[in-house]
Amino acid sequence: MPRYQRLALSSISAAALLAALPAGATTFTISWWGFNGDKMQEIIVNPFQELCGCEVVFETGNNGDRLNRLAMRSGAGVDVIYLTDSYSQAGIEQGLFQPIDRAQVPNIAELYDLAQAPQGEFGPAYTVGRIGLVYDSARVNPPITSWNDLWRADLASSLSLPNITTTAGPMVVLQAGRHAGVDAYTDEDATFAALAELAPNIVTNYNTGSEMINLFSTGEISVSMTQDFTLGRLRDAVPTIEWATLTDGEIAVLNTINIPTGSENVELAHQFINFVLSADIQRQLAEQGVDAPVNATVELSPEAAGMWTYGQEQIDSLQRIDYSQLNPARDRWLDRWNETFGM
């Protein structure tokens, strides 16, 4: 579409949004991580402030801290909250979010199916990522092609996997169960026996992405499990890093937007979610290296697409996690994890 046509459509959309917004809304509060601040200001905050005639303010911090603050305020204090799906599930179970009125968010219909209602009637996902395996192709041969390869004898003292307290950590337990041929939720003995078999291959369990990247840089490890947003930084540090193509599938990580029960601007919050899910905003966020698009109508250049979990085929290949099962299981697994890895 020519640029002048896109601008014209944007103007029409802006006029429609302005007409739909509630009168008198002056302060709109977003709870999010605070990453990519300049780009988020340019792509989301400034245009939305112009559309709504409101002042956008922020509450920043990690998932757990922000969810805890919301719980202490009984769901009040912010109008929308960005969380990874494990934490948004916890918020749902604590009764901190209200259902989304999808009639007010028509752009939800343009999303991939897994993003439209990942946790029932609550917030949609605004981006999708993957948890998978990375390896140094200069040091690992044959290449990694399956989660089961983590147990290979030639990878002794070569791995760092995420600690169970991280976002990706509990997935290690799930994959150990699959390696053992059991359901990790119902046969924890066999699952942790498989983890014990894996332990000789593990140098350490990392707690931050920076720690994992440093372990690759110093040559202490050659294989790890991570989220795809770390790939660029990994390759900057070690150009021979490869993202493994896994025959048994990667794991989906969804970031969601929810409206807390105490939001003072509920109609405006729905309009904001619709705005963030629009094809134009989703495309800009992807092209500027902020987030992968979940709006299925977004078309990216091959270069931009290569950065992200993108396209129907890749989306369909992802394993989805049921956090209503995983969150309580993680608490049960913590002691056995620490015993297995001598922590």
Side-chain angles (χ1 to χ4, degrees), residues 156-172:
S157 300
S158 297
L159 277 60
S160 180
L161 297 180
N163 208 338
I164 195 169
T165 54
T166 67
T167 298
M171 315 310 174
V172 177

Side-chain angles (χ1 to χ4, degrees), residues 244-260:
T245 300
L246 301 177
T247 57
D248 36 4
E250 297 147 335
I251 301 167
V253 178
L254 299 176
N255 288 356
T256 63
I257 310 181
N258 272 282
I259 303 175

Side-chain angles (χ1 to χ4, degrees), residues 31-35 59-70 81-84 87 167:
S31 174
W32 56 14
W33 293 273
F35 300 146
E59 180 174 281
T60 60
N62 64 34
N63 286 285
D65 289 344
R66 292 183 295 108
L67 187 62
N68 286 339
R69 288 199 292 263
L70 186 66
I81 184 167
Y82 284 56
L83 294 166
T84 59
Y87 285 89
T167 298

Side-chain angles (χ1 to χ4, degrees), residues 21-40:
L21 291 176
T26 56
T27 301
F28 184 76
T29 306
I30 303 171
S31 174
W32 56 14
W33 293 273
F35 300 146
N36 294 302
D38 291 345
K39 292 178 180 179
M40 298 293 273

